[in-house]
C-alpha cells in the first residue's frame, strides 16, 4: 500500500460553540430541558445496588447548594477548593460552585499540607470542601502555612443538606444573577499541573474550554462512549476528579446525559464494576497494566498459566490481524486463528469481560502512553481501548482514536475544533478552543508556553499521512549519548513497564557511553511472583536475586529488540525501595518526576557506568 509523506499539521472541523455571553451552566441547563427525567447519576443505596438520580433532581440539589454557598458569603469570581476522593458530592459541588458564579480549584486527595498550601496560596482560595476530618486538618494546616483564611466545610451528603437549608433565604433571582455572571472567556476552574518539570502552575480552564470539550469532543468521539439517541451509555468514574481528564469527562457526560457512578477507592472498584455494569470506562495506563498483571497472576495461581498465556498470544495476534486488514489491506484473521480465538473467548476472554462488569464496549486511556501490546491484548479479548492525548492546558482530550478512525500505536486524530502542528524540532503544538487561558498570575510562563495561537506541549511527536498523532517522547527528556546518538526513552520504558515486576523505569545515558536504566519493583507483584516460586523476597533481597534479574532482563531484551544497538539498554540497576508521592518522585497522577529521580539517584546512575 503506497503512502504519502508524513504531514506537519492536522485538524478537524469545529462543531460549534454557544453564545459568547453564556457559560458552561447554560449548556447543562439546556441539556436538562431536553430530557429532565434522564438518569445522569447513580448513587449507592447501601445494599449493594444503585439508585438513579434524575437530571432535574440533580440540578435542584445543585441550585439549593449554590444558594447555601451564596448565603455563606461566596461571591462571583472567588475560588473554592474541592479536596476529596471521587464521589457524587464532588459532582454536586462542582456545579454548585459554577451556579454561584465562582471558580473551582480541584486538589488531589493525596496531596500533602505543603502541596495544598501552595495551591491555596497561589489561587487565593476563599473556601474548601473537604472529604473527611483528615483532609480538613490538612487544609487548615495548609492555610496556616500559606497565611490565608480559608473557610473549611465537609464534602458529604449531610453537609450538602446543611448548605441547602442555609440557603433557603436566597432568592432564585439572586442565584440567577450569580450564575450568569461568567461568560465563555471567564475562568471556570484553576487546575494545577502535575509538577513533573517544576513547581505546579495553576492552569486557567475557562467556560469556553469546558463548552468546547462538551460539544466538540463529545460529538467527535460519540462512537467511543456509545452516544446515540436511545442508548443507555453509562460509566463508572474512579480516576481522581482533580485530574483534568476525569473532570472534563464528568462535565461532558453530564451535558450528554450519559449516566455516571463514582468509585472512590480501588478496594471497591471490582465490586462497583460488577454491580453497576458500565458500558465504557476511563482509565490511565497503569490501571490497565495492573489489571493485566492481576489477571495473569490469578491464572498462574490457579494452575492455568499456560492456558492464559496461549490466550494472550492469540488475542494479540487476532487484533494485529484486524489492524493489518484495516490499514494495510491484509486478509484479516485466518480461519484457524478465528477458531482459536473462539475457544479462548469461552475459556478466558469472557471471564475477563465479566471482571469489567460484563457490558463494557470500550475503554479510554489517557494521561500517559499505553503500550501497543496491551491495546492489542484487550481488543483481542473484546475490550477495545482507545488512546487519547492531552494535557492540563488543553482541558485534557486534544486527540483521540475513535472506532471509525483507529490506529494502534497512535493517540488518534485531533478532536473537533483542534489543530495539531509539528514544529521544526518535532514538538507537538495544539490550537483550538480547548486550549487554556494561561497560567494564573504567571504572564511570562504563559508567553513562553505559546507559539502564536498554538500551545507548546513539550512533547515530541509525528503526524502520519492520515493525520494520526504519534507521541515519541518529551522534548526535555531526549538522551544524547557520548557517541552523539539521540535516544528517546519513553518507548523503551513503556515496554519494560509492562513486566509484572516493574513499577517504574527510568532510562538514562546523557553524555554516557551507552544507555542504562534504573528499575523500581512493584512490591505487590514481587510478593505474588515470589510465592508462585515458593519463596519470599523483600525489595532489598530482590535487587541481587538471580531469578528477578533474569526476569527483568527478558523485559529489557524485548525493549532492545525495537531499537538499534546504539540505542539499546546495556545495563540495569534495581532500586531496593519504592518511589512514591511521599518520597517526592511521583506526582498525584502517578507520573514519574524524571528530573527529580535523576538528581536524587545520581550515585546509583554512576554505578551503571563503573566497570563492567
Amino acid at each position: 500500500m503506497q503512502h504519502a509523506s508524513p504531514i506537519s499539521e492536522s485538524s478537524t472541523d469545529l462543531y460549534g460553540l454557544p453564545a459568547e455571553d453564556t457559560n458552561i451552566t447554560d449548556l447543562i441547563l439546556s441539556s436538562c430541558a431536553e430530557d429532565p427525567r434522564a438518569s445522569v447519576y447513580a448513587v449507592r443505596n447501601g445494599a449493594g445496588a444503585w439508585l438513579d438520580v434524575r437530571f432535574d433532581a440533580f440540578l435542584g440539589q445543585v441550585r439549593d447548594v449554590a444558594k447555601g454557598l451564596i448565603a455563606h458569603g461566596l461571591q462571583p469570581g472567588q475560588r473554592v477548593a474541592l479536596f476529596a476522593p471521587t464521589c457524587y458530592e464532588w459532582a454536586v459541588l462542582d456545579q454548585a460552585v459554577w451556579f454561584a458564579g465562582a471558580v473551582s480549584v480541584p486538589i488531589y486527595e493525596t496531596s500533602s499540607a505543603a502541596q495544598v498550601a501552595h495551591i491555596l496560596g497561589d489561587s487565593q482560595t476563599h473556601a474548601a470542601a473537604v472529604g473527611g476530618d483528615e483532609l480538613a486538618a490538612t487544609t487548615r494546616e495548609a492555610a496556616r502555612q500559606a497565611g490565608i483564611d480559608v473557610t473549611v466545610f465537609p464534602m458529604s451528603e449531610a453537609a450538602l443538606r446543611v448548605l441547602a437549608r442555609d440557603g433557603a433565604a436566597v432568592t432564585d433571582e439572586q442565584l440567577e444573577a450569580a450564575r450568569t455572571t461568567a461568560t465563555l472567556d471567564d475562568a471556570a476552574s484553576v487546575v494545577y499541573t502535575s509538577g513533573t518539570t517544576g513547581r505546579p502552575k495553576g492552569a486557567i480552564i475557562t467556560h469556553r474550554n469546558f463548552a468546547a470539550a462538551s460539544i466538540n469532543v463529545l460529538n467527535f468521539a460519540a462512537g467511543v462512549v456509545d452516544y446515540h439517541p436511545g442508548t443507555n451509555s453509562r460509566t463508572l468514574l474512579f480516576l481522581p476528579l482533580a485530574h483534568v481528564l476525569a473532570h472534563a469527562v464528568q462535565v461532558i457526560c453530564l451535558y450528554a446525559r450519559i449516566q455516571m457512578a463514582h468509585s472512590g477507592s480501588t478496594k471497591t472498584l471490582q465490586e462497583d464494576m460488577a454491580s453497576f455494569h458500565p458500558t465504557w470506562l476511563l482509565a490511565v495506563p497503569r490501571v490497565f497494566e495492573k489489571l493485566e498483571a492481576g489477571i495473569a497472576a490469578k491464572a498462574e495461581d490457579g494452575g492455568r498459566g499456560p492456558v492464559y498465556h496461549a490466550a494472550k498470544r492469540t488475542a494479540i495476534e487476532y487484533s494485529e490481524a484486524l489492524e493489518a486488514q484495516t490499514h494495510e489491506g491484509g486478509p484479516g484473521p485466518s480461519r484457524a486463528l478465528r477458531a482459536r480465538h473462539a475457544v479462548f473467548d469461552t475459556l478466558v476472554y469472557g471471564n475477563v469481560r465479566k471482571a469489567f462488569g460484563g457490558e463494557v464496549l470500550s475503554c479510554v486511556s489517557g494521561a500517559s502512553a499505553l503500550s501497543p501490546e496491551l491495546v492489542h491484548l484487550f481488543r483481542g479479548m473484546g475490550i477495545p481501548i482507545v488512546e487519547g492525548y492531552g494535557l492540563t492546558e488543553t482541558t485534557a482530550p486534544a486527540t483521540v482514536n475513535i472506532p471509525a478512525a483507529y490506529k494502534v500505536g497512535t493517540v488518534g486524530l485531533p478532536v473537533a475544533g483542534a489543530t495539531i502542528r509539528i514544529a521544526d524540532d518535532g514538538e507537538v503544538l495544539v490550537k483550538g478552543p480547548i486550549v487554556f487561558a494561561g497560567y494564573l498570575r504567571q504572564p511570562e510562563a504563559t508567553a513562553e508556553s505559546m507559539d502564536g495561537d498554538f500551545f507548546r506541549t513539550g512533547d515530541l511527536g509525528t503526524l502520519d499521512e492520515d493525520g494520526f498523532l504519534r507521541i515519541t517522547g518529551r522534548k526535555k527528556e531526549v538522551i544524547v549519548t557520548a557517541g552523539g546518538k539521540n535516544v528517546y526513552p519513553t518507548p523503551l520504558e513503556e515496554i519494560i513497564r509492562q513486566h509484572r515486576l516493574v513499577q517504574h523505569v527510568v532510562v538514562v545515558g546523557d553524555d554516557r557511553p551507552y544507555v542504562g536504566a534504573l528499575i523500581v519493583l512493584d512490591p505487590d507483584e514481587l510478593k505474588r511472583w515470589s510465592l508462585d516460586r515458593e519463596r519470599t523476597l523483600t525489595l532489598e533481597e530482590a535487587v541481587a536475586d538471580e531469578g528477578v534479574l533474569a526476569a527483568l532482563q527478558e523485559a529489557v531484551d524485548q525493549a532492545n529488540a525495537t531499537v538499534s544497538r546504539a540505542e539499546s539498554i546495556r545495563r540495569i540497576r534495581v532500586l531496593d525501595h519504592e518511589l512514591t508521592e511521599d518520597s517526592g518522585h511521583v506526582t498525584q497522577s502517578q507520573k514519574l518526576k524524571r528530573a527529580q529521580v535523576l538528581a536524587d539517584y545520581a550515585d546509583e546512575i554512576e554505578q551503571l557506568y563503573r566497570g563492567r
Side-chain angles (χ1 to χ4, degrees), residues 395-408:
T395 326
T399 69
V400 68
N401 278 289
I402 57 177
Y406 184 100
K407 282 189 182 181
V408 175

Side-chain angles (χ1 to χ4, degrees), residues 222 225-234 256-259 279 361:
V225 297
D226 195 28
Y227 174 64
H228 304 288
T231 59
N232 185 20
S233 181
R234 58 193 180 277
R257 301 189 294 276
I258 292 171
Q259 189 174 30
T279 60
L361 301 174

Side-chain angles (χ1 to χ4, degrees), residues 363-380:
C363 294
V364 181
S365 179
S368 59
L370 182 67
S371 75
E373 182 178 286
L374 270 181
V375 176
H376 282 304
L377 171 61
F378 279 104
R379 181 166 74 165

Side-chain angles (χ1 to χ4, degrees), residues 10-20 184 208-220 397 414-419 431-435:
S10 179
S11 63
T12 306
D13 291 340
L14 187 74
Y15 278 91
L17 286 173
E20 292 292 320
L184 285 186
R208 182 186 301 276
N209 297 149
F210 279 116
S214 296
I215 296 172
N216 290 283
V217 176
L218 173 67
N219 282 285
F220 180 75
V415 300
T419 299
K431 182 178 75 170
I434 54 173
V435 174

Side-chain angles (χ1 to χ4, degrees), residues 105-314:
V105 182
I107 303 177
Y108 284 93
E109 70 268 24
T110 55
S111 299
S112 67
Q115 291 170 322
V116 177
H118 167 65
I119 293 172
L120 296 180
D122 187 66
S123 64
Q124 291 296 294
T125 287
H126 172 79
V130 300
D133 294 341
E134 186 176 339
L135 296 186
T138 299
T139 304
R140 292 189 178 96
E141 170 58 22
R144 187 193 64 78
Q145 292 180 19
I148 62 173
D149 292 325
V150 176
T151 300
V152 180
F153 61 96
M155 186 185 291
S156 66
E157 183 180 353
L160 296 188
R161 286 198 298 268
V162 171
L163 275 173
R165 183 196 65 201
D166 294 348
V170 176
T171 67
D172 291 344
E173 290 75 20
Q174 287 174 294
L175 175 64
E176 185 66 4
R179 185 192 70 79
T180 57
T181 301
T183 62
L184 285 186
D185 287 325
D186 287 315
S189 190
V190 179
V191 182
Y192 280 78
T193 59
S194 59
T196 54
T197 58
R199 196 158 195 185
K201 299 186 288 289
I204 301 170
I205 307 300
T206 65
H207 288 270
R208 182 186 301 276
N209 297 149
F210 279 116
S214 296
I215 296 172
N216 290 283
V217 176
L218 173 67
N219 282 285
F220 180 75
V224 175
V225 297
D226 195 28
Y227 174 64
H228 304 288
T231 59
N232 185 20
S233 181
R234 58 193 180 277
T235 189
L236 181 69
L237 292 175
F238 55 87
L239 290 183
L241 286 168
H243 194 297
V244 70
L245 176 59
H247 192 185
V249 164
Q250 177 158 262
V251 176
I252 292 169
C253 287
L254 184 58
Y255 167 70
R257 301 189 294 276
I258 292 171
Q259 189 174 30
M260 293 167 279
H262 298 90
S263 183
S265 171
T266 55
K267 294 178 181 178
T268 64
L269 180 56
Q270 286 289 140
E271 177 187 337
D272 292 340
M273 286 195 293
S275 60
F276 185 64
H277 306 294
T279 60
W280 62 278
L281 291 169
L282 172 70
V284 295
R286 189 60 182 158
V287 170
F288 295 111
E289 291 164 2
K290 294 284 283 185
L291 281 170
E292 197 282 322
I295 293 166
K298 187 175 181 179
E300 293 282 358
D301 292 344
R304 293 169 56 84
V307 173
Y308 174 73
H309 290 297
K312 178 177 178 177
R313 289 192 297 271
T314 297

